[in-house]
Amino acid sequence: MAALCGATMMTAGMAHAGLTPAETKMVATVDAQFEPAVDLLEKMVNQNSGSMNLPGVTKVAEMLRPQFEALGFAVTWKPMDAAKRAGHLIAVHKGKAGTTRMLLIGHTDTVFEPDSPFQTFKRESEGWASGPGVGDDKGGVATMLLALQAMQAAGTLKGANIEVVLTGDEEHVGDPADIARADLIAAGKRTDVALDFEGLSRENGRDMGSIARRSANGWTLTATGKSGHSSGIFSAGAGDGAIYELARIISTFRKELPEPNLTFNVGLIGGGQSAELDKDGVRIASTGKVNIIPPIAVAKGDFRTLSEEQTKRVVAKMQAIVDNGHMPGTSATIAFDFGYPSMAPTQGNRALLAKLNRVNGDMGLPVMPELDPLKRGAGDIAFVAQDTDGLVGLGLDSVGSHAPGEKADLDSMKRQAKRAAILMTRLSGEKGRK
């Protein structure tokens, strides 16, 4: 037994052979503080904080305030009444002047509103737990705090310049977005590195490094035509009707828009004698008869791009398709709704992933390859991606996000918090660029 224990300790020591004493201390602290971190996660999950449950989002922020204050952060709650949302928690830790400024990003809201039947944290078998937001993104927030606590225990937090922005509306961004994201954008302009604590991506049993996120934009297409008896359709006087014009445009989108890293979808469509889109943009009330040429047709969809240059190019192509080649007796317009911008896979982001992989090597963990950006959705880090380098996915490994039964691998919190603490410590010793 003594020989076995000695061999186990030797193996653990070899796995962490590249770490400094302070980094080794952080590893030990994460292991020691894991259960208290899970307890905090359980409390957050059991407090409903659907994006539109403004008091609930505020209560989660109130749970987190003392956690950050205990680490020496100055905490501010920024109400978002003007954007019709609860608000954002912002925590600032001032460290050594001239060193790297880090922005940590997460969110306190979930997609599960109070009327959802899915409301409770539950520990499952083999280290997993289920609950609303357990992975997206309350698990990420708990991981962030655990990493910062490890830095404090090792004495490396003292010199670190860190700003934390936890948005309260990531799942349903407030309107207008320029107000809802003003604080995050401002933080991005004064930082050198952004670290996003949303969920870890895995493929074929391997942790993946994510250096890009695609945009999420919407469009609304409206086609009009002349109404009349269907017996006259296609005639010079009656024309082809609005639905044929809408079909022309959508069909041309499918033929002419495809290019690498672009997806586009038609999610809602209606037409006839009348077609009215509701105020939430999720229903079309249409009426008509088979013997009436439809004077109106409406469709809504989205498109996702990997760069802002691609966004501009796709918008121009869609606009040209709408404007050119109208069916006889018809016209059409398209309106765009720009939601989340893109986070392109820049060389700066790749360099940051390389630093994380050096941490992995020193910890005895496998290299994290780049994740295909088509396999991640949009997120808050994209609002700062034009101004700073960034990494995505420092939160928990999870499955089933945005659906009842969402689960997260609690054990993944340990290696994620260790990675983050060591990476942030090393970055805090580098010279800042801003």
Side-chain angles (χ1 to χ4, degrees), residues 321-348:
I321 290 168
V322 171
D323 292 342
N324 300 321
H326 294 306
M327 304 290 279
T330 70
S331 63
T333 59
I334 189 168
F336 295 97
D337 176 19
F338 298 103
Y340 280 94
S342 59
M343 175 186 178
T346 65
Q347 290 306 309

mmCIF file with all atom_site columns, all heavy atoms in Angstrom, residues 321-348:
data_model
loop_
_atom_site.group_PDB
_atom_site.id
_atom_site.type_symbol
_atom_site.label_atom_id
_atom_site.label_alt_id
_atom_site.label_comp_id
_atom_site.label_asym_id
_atom_site.label_entity_id
_atom_site.label_seq_id
_atom_site.pdbx_PDB_ins_code
_atom_site.Cartn_x
_atom_site.Cartn_y
_atom_site.Cartn_z
_atom_site.occupancy
_atom_site.B_iso_or_equiv
_atom_site.pdbx_formal_charge
_atom_site.auth_seq_id
_atom_site.auth_comp_id
_atom_site.auth_asym_id
_atom_site.auth_atom_id
_atom_site.pdbx_PDB_model_num
ATOM 1   N N   . ILE A 1 321 ? -30.330 40.511 -54.229 1.00 0.00 ? 321 ILE A N   1
ATOM 2   C CA  . ILE A 1 321 ? -31.286 39.486 -54.662 1.00 0.00 ? 321 ILE A CA  1
ATOM 3   C C   . ILE A 1 321 ? -32.708 39.989 -54.497 1.00 0.00 ? 321 ILE A C   1
ATOM 4   O O   . ILE A 1 321 ? -33.569 39.775 -55.362 1.00 0.00 ? 321 ILE A O   1
ATOM 5   C CB  . ILE A 1 321 ? -31.063 38.189 -53.860 1.00 0.00 ? 321 ILE A CB  1
ATOM 6   C CG1 . ILE A 1 321 ? -29.741 37.541 -54.270 1.00 0.00 ? 321 ILE A CG1 1
ATOM 7   C CG2 . ILE A 1 321 ? -32.222 37.217 -54.056 1.00 0.00 ? 321 ILE A CG2 1
ATOM 8   C CD1 . ILE A 1 321 ? -29.292 36.417 -53.349 1.00 0.00 ? 321 ILE A CD1 1
ATOM 9   N N   . VAL A 1 322 ? -32.985 40.665 -53.394 1.00 0.00 ? 322 VAL A N   1
ATOM 10  C CA  . VAL A 1 322 ? -34.318 41.213 -53.155 1.00 0.00 ? 322 VAL A CA  1
ATOM 11  C C   . VAL A 1 322 ? -34.663 42.281 -54.193 1.00 0.00 ? 322 VAL A C   1
ATOM 12  O O   . VAL A 1 322 ? -35.776 42.315 -54.728 1.00 0.00 ? 322 VAL A O   1
ATOM 13  C CB  . VAL A 1 322 ? -34.413 41.791 -51.733 1.00 0.00 ? 322 VAL A CB  1
ATOM 14  C CG1 . VAL A 1 322 ? -35.725 42.562 -51.546 1.00 0.00 ? 322 VAL A CG1 1
ATOM 15  C CG2 . VAL A 1 322 ? -34.295 40.682 -50.692 1.00 0.00 ? 322 VAL A CG2 1
ATOM 16  N N   . ASP A 1 323 ? -33.699 43.130 -54.505 1.00 0.00 ? 323 ASP A N   1
ATOM 17  C CA  . ASP A 1 323 ? -33.971 44.291 -55.357 1.00 0.00 ? 323 ASP A CA  1
ATOM 18  C C   . ASP A 1 323 ? -34.054 43.963 -56.842 1.00 0.00 ? 323 ASP A C   1
ATOM 19  O O   . ASP A 1 323 ? -34.708 44.685 -57.599 1.00 0.00 ? 323 ASP A O   1
ATOM 20  C CB  . ASP A 1 323 ? -32.879 45.348 -55.160 1.00 0.00 ? 323 ASP A CB  1
ATOM 21  C CG  . ASP A 1 323 ? -32.930 45.983 -53.782 1.00 0.00 ? 323 ASP A CG  1
ATOM 22  O OD1 . ASP A 1 323 ? -33.970 45.873 -53.111 1.00 0.00 ? 323 ASP A OD1 1
ATOM 23  O OD2 . ASP A 1 323 ? -31.909 46.583 -53.384 1.00 0.00 ? 323 ASP A OD2 1
ATOM 24  N N   . ASN A 1 324 ? -33.404 42.902 -57.270 1.00 0.00 ? 324 ASN A N   1
ATOM 25  C CA  . ASN A 1 324 ? -33.273 42.631 -58.700 1.00 0.00 ? 324 ASN A CA  1
ATOM 26  C C   . ASN A 1 324 ? -34.105 41.436 -59.130 1.00 0.00 ? 324 ASN A C   1
ATOM 27  O O   . ASN A 1 324 ? -34.143 40.407 -58.443 1.00 0.00 ? 324 ASN A O   1
ATOM 28  C CB  . ASN A 1 324 ? -31.803 42.376 -59.058 1.00 0.00 ? 324 ASN A CB  1
ATOM 29  C CG  . ASN A 1 324 ? -30.925 43.567 -58.740 1.00 0.00 ? 324 ASN A CG  1
ATOM 30  O OD1 . ASN A 1 324 ? -31.333 44.707 -58.938 1.00 0.00 ? 324 ASN A OD1 1
ATOM 31  N ND2 . ASN A 1 324 ? -29.733 43.316 -58.219 1.00 0.00 ? 324 ASN A ND2 1
ATOM 32  N N   . GLY A 1 325 ? -34.767 41.579 -60.288 1.00 0.00 ? 325 GLY A N   1
ATOM 33  C CA  . GLY A 1 325 ? -35.492 40.462 -60.878 1.00 0.00 ? 325 GLY A CA  1
ATOM 34  C C   . GLY A 1 325 ? -36.864 40.212 -60.296 1.00 0.00 ? 325 GLY A C   1
ATOM 35  O O   . GLY A 1 325 ? -37.304 39.053 -60.211 1.00 0.00 ? 325 GLY A O   1
ATOM 36  N N   . HIS A 1 326 ? -37.565 41.285 -59.892 1.00 0.00 ? 326 HIS A N   1
ATOM 37  C CA  . HIS A 1 326 ? -38.919 41.100 -59.353 1.00 0.00 ? 326 HIS A CA  1
ATOM 38  C C   . HIS A 1 326 ? -39.807 40.347 -60.333 1.00 0.00 ? 326 HIS A C   1
ATOM 39  O O   . HIS A 1 326 ? -39.748 40.560 -61.549 1.00 0.00 ? 326 HIS A O   1
ATOM 40  C CB  . HIS A 1 326 ? -39.563 42.453 -59.044 1.00 0.00 ? 326 HIS A CB  1
ATOM 41  C CG  . HIS A 1 326 ? -38.892 43.204 -57.929 1.00 0.00 ? 326 HIS A CG  1
ATOM 42  N ND1 . HIS A 1 326 ? -38.675 42.670 -56.691 1.00 0.00 ? 326 HIS A ND1 1
ATOM 43  C CD2 . HIS A 1 326 ? -38.403 44.471 -57.877 1.00 0.00 ? 326 HIS A CD2 1
ATOM 44  C CE1 . HIS A 1 326 ? -38.072 43.559 -55.912 1.00 0.00 ? 326 HIS A CE1 1
ATOM 45  N NE2 . HIS A 1 326 ? -37.891 44.664 -56.616 1.00 0.00 ? 326 HIS A NE2 1
ATOM 46  N N   . MET A 1 327 ? -40.655 39.488 -59.786 1.00 0.00 ? 327 MET A N   1
ATOM 47  C CA  . MET A 1 327 ? -41.685 38.845 -60.600 1.00 0.00 ? 327 MET A CA  1
ATOM 48  C C   . MET A 1 327 ? -42.655 39.920 -61.091 1.00 0.00 ? 327 MET A C   1
ATOM 49  O O   . MET A 1 327 ? -42.814 40.971 -60.445 1.00 0.00 ? 327 MET A O   1
ATOM 50  C CB  . MET A 1 327 ? -42.428 37.796 -59.773 1.00 0.00 ? 327 MET A CB  1
ATOM 51  C CG  . MET A 1 327 ? -41.541 36.741 -59.148 1.00 0.00 ? 327 MET A CG  1
ATOM 52  S SD  . MET A 1 327 ? -40.826 35.600 -60.332 1.00 0.00 ? 327 MET A SD  1
ATOM 53  C CE  . MET A 1 327 ? -42.198 34.477 -60.564 1.00 0.00 ? 327 MET A CE  1
ATOM 54  N N   . PRO A 1 328 ? -43.333 39.704 -62.201 1.00 0.00 ? 328 PRO A N   1
ATOM 55  C CA  . PRO A 1 328 ? -44.255 40.724 -62.743 1.00 0.00 ? 328 PRO A CA  1
ATOM 56  C C   . PRO A 1 328 ? -45.292 41.164 -61.717 1.00 0.00 ? 328 PRO A C   1
ATOM 57  O O   . PRO A 1 328 ? -45.887 40.340 -61.011 1.00 0.00 ? 328 PRO A O   1
ATOM 58  C CB  . PRO A 1 328 ? -44.910 40.000 -63.924 1.00 0.00 ? 328 PRO A CB  1
ATOM 59  C CG  . PRO A 1 328 ? -43.886 39.004 -64.370 1.00 0.00 ? 328 PRO A CG  1
ATOM 60  C CD  . PRO A 1 328 ? -43.226 38.532 -63.111 1.00 0.00 ? 328 PRO A CD  1
ATOM 61  N N   . GLY A 1 329 ? -45.453 42.478 -61.606 1.00 0.00 ? 329 GLY A N   1
ATOM 62  C CA  . GLY A 1 329 ? -46.471 43.054 -60.740 1.00 0.00 ? 329 GLY A CA  1
ATOM 63  C C   . GLY A 1 329 ? -46.181 42.965 -59.257 1.00 0.00 ? 329 GLY A C   1
ATOM 64  O O   . GLY A 1 329 ? -47.084 43.131 -58.431 1.00 0.00 ? 329 GLY A O   1
ATOM 65  N N   . THR A 1 330 ? -44.914 42.739 -58.886 1.00 0.00 ? 330 THR A N   1
ATOM 66  C CA  . THR A 1 330 ? -44.576 42.594 -57.464 1.00 0.00 ? 330 THR A CA  1
ATOM 67  C C   . THR A 1 330 ? -43.417 43.506 -57.079 1.00 0.00 ? 330 THR A C   1
ATOM 68  O O   . THR A 1 330 ? -42.718 44.043 -57.943 1.00 0.00 ? 330 THR A O   1
ATOM 69  C CB  . THR A 1 330 ? -44.178 41.144 -57.125 1.00 0.00 ? 330 THR A CB  1
ATOM 70  O OG1 . THR A 1 330 ? -42.906 40.849 -57.723 1.00 0.00 ? 330 THR A OG1 1
ATOM 71  C CG2 . THR A 1 330 ? -45.219 40.145 -57.608 1.00 0.00 ? 330 THR A CG2 1
ATOM 72  N N   . SER A 1 331 ? -43.217 43.628 -55.793 1.00 0.00 ? 331 SER A N   1
ATOM 73  C CA  . SER A 1 331 ? -42.042 44.305 -55.245 1.00 0.00 ? 331 SER A CA  1
ATOM 74  C C   . SER A 1 331 ? -41.705 43.642 -53.917 1.00 0.00 ? 331 SER A C   1
ATOM 75  O O   . SER A 1 331 ? -42.478 42.826 -53.403 1.00 0.00 ? 331 SER A O   1
ATOM 76  C CB  . SER A 1 331 ? -42.304 45.805 -55.050 1.00 0.00 ? 331 SER A CB  1
ATOM 77  O OG  . SER A 1 331 ? -43.342 46.003 -54.106 1.00 0.00 ? 331 SER A OG  1
ATOM 78  N N   . ALA A 1 332 ? -40.560 44.008 -53.357 1.00 0.00 ? 332 ALA A N   1
ATOM 79  C CA  . ALA A 1 332 ? -40.142 43.397 -52.091 1.00 0.00 ? 332 ALA A CA  1
ATOM 80  C C   . ALA A 1 332 ? -39.148 44.289 -51.367 1.00 0.00 ? 332 ALA A C   1
ATOM 81  O O   . ALA A 1 332 ? -38.408 45.053 -51.991 1.00 0.00 ? 332 ALA A O   1
ATOM 82  C CB  . ALA A 1 332 ? -39.528 42.017 -52.333 1.00 0.00 ? 332 ALA A CB  1
ATOM 83  N N   . THR A 1 333 ? -39.127 44.164 -50.048 1.00 0.00 ? 333 THR A N   1
ATOM 84  C CA  . THR A 1 333 ? -38.156 44.866 -49.213 1.00 0.00 ? 333 THR A CA  1
ATOM 85  C C   . THR A 1 333 ? -37.618 43.884 -48.176 1.00 0.00 ? 333 THR A C   1
ATOM 86  O O   . THR A 1 333 ? -38.288 42.910 -47.814 1.00 0.00 ? 333 THR A O   1
ATOM 87  C CB  . THR A 1 333 ? -38.780 46.062 -48.478 1.00 0.00 ? 333 THR A CB  1
ATOM 88  O OG1 . THR A 1 333 ? -39.854 45.600 -47.650 1.00 0.00 ? 333 THR A OG1 1
ATOM 89  C CG2 . THR A 1 333 ? -39.306 47.096 -49.470 1.00 0.00 ? 333 THR A CG2 1
ATOM 90  N N   . ILE A 1 334 ? -36.424 44.146 -47.691 1.00 0.00 ? 334 ILE A N   1
ATOM 91  C CA  . ILE A 1 334 ? -35.842 43.345 -46.628 1.00 0.00 ? 334 ILE A CA  1
ATOM 92  C C   . ILE A 1 334 ? -35.274 44.267 -45.555 1.00 0.00 ? 334 ILE A C   1
ATOM 93  O O   . ILE A 1 334 ? -34.672 45.302 -45.863 1.00 0.00 ? 334 ILE A O   1
ATOM 94  C CB  . ILE A 1 334 ? -34.751 42.383 -47.164 1.00 0.00 ? 334 ILE A CB  1
ATOM 95  C CG1 . ILE A 1 334 ? -34.316 41.388 -46.082 1.00 0.00 ? 334 ILE A CG1 1
ATOM 96  C CG2 . ILE A 1 334 ? -33.557 43.142 -47.728 1.00 0.00 ? 334 ILE A CG2 1
ATOM 97  C CD1 . ILE A 1 334 ? -33.462 40.243 -46.606 1.00 0.00 ? 334 ILE A CD1 1
ATOM 98  N N   . ALA A 1 335 ? -35.505 43.914 -44.293 1.00 0.00 ? 335 ALA A N   1
ATOM 99  C CA  . ALA A 1 335 ? -34.978 44.670 -43.155 1.00 0.00 ? 335 ALA A CA  1
ATOM 100 C C   . ALA A 1 335 ? -34.090 43.743 -42.340 1.00 0.00 ? 335 ALA A C   1
ATOM 101 O O   . ALA A 1 335 ? -34.427 42.565 -42.140 1.00 0.00 ? 335 ALA A O   1
ATOM 102 C CB  . ALA A 1 335 ? -36.118 45.203 -42.297 1.00 0.00 ? 335 ALA A CB  1
ATOM 103 N N   . PHE A 1 336 ? -32.963 44.258 -41.865 1.00 0.00 ? 336 PHE A N   1
ATOM 104 C CA  . PHE A 1 336 ? -32.005 43.461 -41.122 1.00 0.00 ? 336 PHE A CA  1
ATOM 105 C C   . PHE A 1 336 ? -31.994 43.872 -39.657 1.00 0.00 ? 336 PHE A C   1
ATOM 106 O O   . PHE A 1 336 ? -32.132 45.047 -39.322 1.00 0.00 ? 336 PHE A O   1
ATOM 107 C CB  . PHE A 1 336 ? -30.605 43.616 -41.709 1.00 0.00 ? 336 PHE A CB  1
ATOM 108 C CG  . PHE A 1 336 ? -30.480 43.077 -43.108 1.00 0.00 ? 336 PHE A CG  1
ATOM 109 C CD1 . PHE A 1 336 ? -30.582 43.928 -44.209 1.00 0.00 ? 336 PHE A CD1 1
ATOM 110 C CD2 . PHE A 1 336 ? -30.273 41.726 -43.325 1.00 0.00 ? 336 PHE A CD2 1
ATOM 111 C CE1 . PHE A 1 336 ? -30.479 43.436 -45.499 1.00 0.00 ? 336 PHE A CE1 1
ATOM 112 C CE2 . PHE A 1 336 ? -30.163 41.227 -44.606 1.00 0.00 ? 336 PHE A CE2 1
ATOM 113 C CZ  . PHE A 1 336 ? -30.269 42.077 -45.700 1.00 0.00 ? 336 PHE A CZ  1
ATOM 114 N N   . ASP A 1 337 ? -31.837 42.874 -38.800 1.00 0.00 ? 337 ASP A N   1
ATOM 115 C CA  . ASP A 1 337 ? -31.728 43.093 -37.362 1.00 0.00 ? 337 ASP A CA  1
ATOM 116 C C   . ASP A 1 337 ? -30.391 42.517 -36.923 1.00 0.00 ? 337 ASP A C   1
ATOM 117 O O   . ASP A 1 337 ? -30.220 41.296 -36.871 1.00 0.00 ? 337 ASP A O   1
ATOM 118 C CB  . ASP A 1 337 ? -32.876 42.394 -36.639 1.00 0.00 ? 337 ASP A CB  1
ATOM 119 C CG  . ASP A 1 337 ? -32.774 42.507 -35.132 1.00 0.00 ? 337 ASP A CG  1
ATOM 120 O OD1 . ASP A 1 337 ? -32.056 43.406 -34.644 1.00 0.00 ? 337 ASP A OD1 1
ATOM 121 O OD2 . ASP A 1 337 ? -33.401 41.688 -34.428 1.00 0.00 ? 337 ASP A OD2 1
ATOM 122 N N   . PHE A 1 338 ? -29.434 43.391 -36.615 1.00 0.00 ? 338 PHE A N   1
ATOM 123 C CA  . PHE A 1 338 ? -28.096 42.941 -36.256 1.00 0.00 ? 338 PHE A CA  1
ATOM 124 C C   . PHE A 1 338 ? -28.033 42.710 -34.748 1.00 0.00 ? 338 PHE A C   1
ATOM 125 O O   . PHE A 1 338 ? -28.110 43.645 -33.969 1.00 0.00 ? 338 PHE A O   1
ATOM 126 C CB  . PHE A 1 338 ? -27.055 43.962 -36.715 1.00 0.00 ? 338 PHE A CB  1
ATOM 127 C CG  . PHE A 1 338 ? -27.054 44.146 -38.206 1.00 0.00 ? 338 PHE A CG  1
ATOM 128 C CD1 . PHE A 1 338 ? -27.642 45.260 -38.787 1.00 0.00 ? 338 PHE A CD1 1
ATOM 129 C CD2 . PHE A 1 338 ? -26.495 43.192 -39.031 1.00 0.00 ? 338 PHE A CD2 1
ATOM 130 C CE1 . PHE A 1 338 ? -27.663 45.414 -40.155 1.00 0.00 ? 338 PHE A CE1 1
ATOM 131 C CE2 . PHE A 1 338 ? -26.499 43.337 -40.410 1.00 0.00 ? 338 PHE A CE2 1
ATOM 132 C CZ  . PHE A 1 338 ? -27.089 44.454 -40.975 1.00 0.00 ? 338 PHE A CZ  1
ATOM 133 N N   . GLY A 1 339 ? -27.921 41.439 -34.372 1.00 0.00 ? 339 GLY A N   1
ATOM 134 C CA  . GLY A 1 339 ? -27.924 41.067 -32.961 1.00 0.00 ? 339 GLY A CA  1
ATOM 135 C C   . GLY A 1 339 ? -26.521 40.960 -32.411 1.00 0.00 ? 339 GLY A C   1
ATOM 136 O O   . GLY A 1 339 ? -25.894 41.961 -32.052 1.00 0.00 ? 339 GLY A O   1
ATOM 137 N N   . TYR A 1 340 ? -25.984 39.746 -32.369 1.00 0.00 ? 340 TYR A N   1
ATOM 138 C CA  . TYR A 1 340 ? -24.621 39.531 -31.891 1.00 0.00 ? 340 TYR A CA  1
ATOM 139 C C   . TYR A 1 340 ? -23.636 39.672 -33.041 1.00 0.00 ? 340 TYR A C   1
ATOM 140 O O   . TYR A 1 340 ? -23.818 39.052 -34.095 1.00 0.00 ? 340 TYR A O   1
ATOM 141 C CB  . TYR A 1 340 ? -24.473 38.129 -31.301 1.00 0.00 ? 340 TYR A CB  1
ATOM 142 C CG  . TYR A 1 340 ? -25.003 38.002 -29.902 1.00 0.00 ? 340 TYR A CG  1
ATOM 143 C CD1 . TYR A 1 340 ? -26.305 37.570 -29.674 1.00 0.00 ? 340 TYR A CD1 1
ATOM 144 C CD2 . TYR A 1 340 ? -24.203 38.320 -28.813 1.00 0.00 ? 340 TYR A CD2 1
ATOM 145 C CE1 . TYR A 1 340 ? -26.793 37.450 -28.382 1.00 0.00 ? 340 TYR A CE1 1
ATOM 146 C CE2 . TYR A 1 340 ? -24.682 38.208 -27.524 1.00 0.00 ? 340 TYR A CE2 1
ATOM 147 C CZ  . TYR A 1 340 ? -25.975 37.773 -27.314 1.00 0.00 ? 340 TYR A CZ  1
ATOM 148 O OH  . TYR A 1 340 ? -26.456 37.663 -26.043 1.00 0.00 ? 340 TYR A OH  1
ATOM 149 N N   . PRO A 1 341 ? -22.581 40.452 -32.870 1.00 0.00 ? 341 PRO A N   1
ATOM 150 C CA  . PRO A 1 341 ? -21.534 40.513 -33.895 1.00 0.00 ? 341 PRO A CA  1
ATOM 151 C C   . PRO A 1 341 ? -20.722 39.220 -33.894 1.00 0.00 ? 341 PRO A C   1
ATOM 152 O O   . PRO A 1 341 ? -20.951 38.320 -33.078 1.00 0.00 ? 341 PRO A O   1
ATOM 153 C CB  . PRO A 1 341 ? -20.691 41.716 -33.471 1.00 0.00 ? 341 PRO A CB  1
ATOM 154 C CG  . PRO A 1 341 ? -20.900 41.807 -31.989 1.00 0.00 ? 341 PRO A CG  1
ATOM 155 C CD  . PRO A 1 341 ? -22.298 41.340 -31.727 1.00 0.00 ? 341 PRO A CD  1
ATOM 156 N N   . SER A 1 342 ? -19.772 39.133 -34.794 1.00 0.00 ? 342 SER A N   1
ATOM 157 C CA  . SER A 1 342 ? -18.929 37.940 -34.894 1.00 0.00 ? 342 SER A CA  1
ATOM 158 C C   . SER A 1 342 ? -17.645 38.125 -34.089 1.00 0.00 ? 342 SER A C   1
ATOM 159 O O   . SER A 1 342 ? -17.238 39.233 -33.767 1.00 0.00 ? 342 SER A O   1
ATOM 160 C CB  . SER A 1 342 ? -18.576 37.675 -36.356 1.00 0.00 ? 342 SER A CB  1
ATOM 161 O OG  . SER A 1 342 ? -17.888 38.794 -36.890 1.00 0.00 ? 342 SER A OG  1
ATOM 162 N N   . MET A 1 343 ? -17.023 37.000 -33.774 1.00 0.00 ? 343 MET A N   1
ATOM 163 C CA  . MET A 1 343 ? -15.690 36.965 -33.177 1.00 0.00 ? 343 MET A CA  1
ATOM 164 C C   . MET A 1 343 ? -14.822 36.154 -34.127 1.00 0.00 ? 343 MET A C   1
ATOM 165 O O   . MET A 1 343 ? -14.904 34.925 -34.168 1.00 0.00 ? 343 MET A O   1
ATOM 166 C CB  . MET A 1 343 ? -15.726 36.315 -31.790 1.00 0.00 ? 343 MET A CB  1
ATOM 167 C CG  . MET A 1 343 ? -14.356 36.136 -31.143 1.00 0.00 ? 343 MET A CG  1
ATOM 168 S SD  . MET A 1 343 ? -14.510 35.208 -29.591 1.00 0.00 ? 343 MET A SD  1
ATOM 169 C CE  . MET A 1 343 ? -12.780 35.082 -29.100 1.00 0.00 ? 343 MET A CE  1
ATOM 170 N N   . ALA A 1 344 ? -14.037 36.823 -34.929 1.00 0.00 ? 344 ALA A N   1
ATOM 171 C CA  . ALA A 1 344 ? -13.234 36.153 -35.950 1.00 0.00 ? 344 ALA A CA  1
ATOM 172 C C   . ALA A 1 344 ? -12.055 35.417 -35.320 1.00 0.00 ? 344 ALA A C   1
ATOM 173 O O   . ALA A 1 344 ? -11.556 35.816 -34.260 1.00 0.00 ? 344 ALA A O   1
ATOM 174 C CB  . ALA A 1 344 ? -12.735 37.172 -36.965 1.00 0.00 ? 344 ALA A CB  1
ATOM 175 N N   . PRO A 1 345 ? -11.561 34.348 -35.959 1.00 0.00 ? 345 PRO A N   1
ATOM 176 C CA  . PRO A 1 345 ? -10.415 33.591 -35.433 1.00 0.00 ? 345 PRO A CA  1
ATOM 177 C C   . PRO A 1 345 ? -9.097  34.263 -35.766 1.00 0.00 ? 345 PRO A C   1
ATOM 178 O O   . PRO A 1 345 ? -8.396  33.891 -36.699 1.00 0.00 ? 345 PRO A O   1
ATOM 179 C CB  . PRO A 1 345 ? -10.548 32.235 -36.145 1.00 0.00 ? 345 PRO A CB  1
ATOM 180 C CG  . PRO A 1 345 ? -11.204 32.563 -37.442 1.00 0.00 ? 345 PRO A CG  1
ATOM 181 C CD  . PRO A 1 345 ? -12.148 33.711 -37.158 1.00 0.00 ? 345 PRO A CD  1
ATOM 182 N N   . THR A 1 346 ? -8.741  35.287 -34.993 1.00 0.00 ? 346 THR A N   1
ATOM 183 C CA  . THR A 1 346 ? -7.555  36.089 -35.284 1.00 0.00 ? 346 THR A CA  1
ATOM 184 C C   . THR A 1 346 ? -6.279  35.414 -34.802 1.00 0.00 ? 346 THR A C   1
ATOM 185 O O   . THR A 1 346 ? -6.305  34.481 -33.980 1.00 0.00 ? 346 THR A O   1
ATOM 186 C CB  . THR A 1 346 ? -7.671  37.456 -34.605 1.00 0.00 ? 346 THR A CB  1
ATOM 187 O OG1 . THR A 1 346 ? -7.668  37.258 -33.179 1.00 0.00 ? 346 THR A OG1 1
ATOM 188 C CG2 . THR A 1 346 ? -8.958  38.172 -35.007 1.00 0.00 ? 346 THR A CG2 1
ATOM 189 N N   . GLN A 1 347 ? -5.141  35.923 -35.279 1.00 0.00 ? 347 GLN A N   1
ATOM 190 C CA  . GLN A 1 347 ? -3.854  35.415 -34.816 1.00 0.00 ? 347 GLN A CA  1
ATOM 191 C C   . GLN A 1 347 ? -3.637  35.715 -33.333 1.00 0.00 ? 347 GLN A C   1
ATOM 192 O O   . GLN A 1 347 ? -2.996  34.934 -32.619 1.00 0.00 ? 347 GLN A O   1
ATOM 193 C CB  . GLN A 1 347 ? -2.720  36.005 -35.657 1.00 0.00 ? 347 GLN A CB  1
ATOM 194 C CG  . GLN A 1 347 ? -2.692  35.479 -37.083 1.00 0.00 ? 347 GLN A CG  1
ATOM 195 C CD  . GLN A 1 347 ? -2.652  33.960 -37.141 1.00 0.00 ? 347 GLN A CD  1
ATOM 196 O OE1 . GLN A 1 347 ? -1.818  33.326 -36.497 1.00 0.00 ? 347 GLN A OE1 1
ATOM 197 N NE2 . GLN A 1 347 ? -3.565  33.377 -37.919 1.00 0.00 ? 347 GLN A NE2 1
ATOM 198 N N   . GLY A 1 348 ? -4.171  36.846 -32.874 1.00 0.00 ? 348 GLY A N   1
ATOM 199 C CA  . GLY A 1 348 ? -4.071  37.164 -31.449 1.00 0.00 ? 348 GLY A CA  1
ATOM 200 C C   . GLY A 1 348 ? -4.809  36.141 -30.602 1.00 0.00 ? 348 GLY A C   1
ATOM 201 O O   . GLY A 1 348 ? -4.331  35.740 -29.529 1.00 0.00 ? 348 GLY A O   1
#
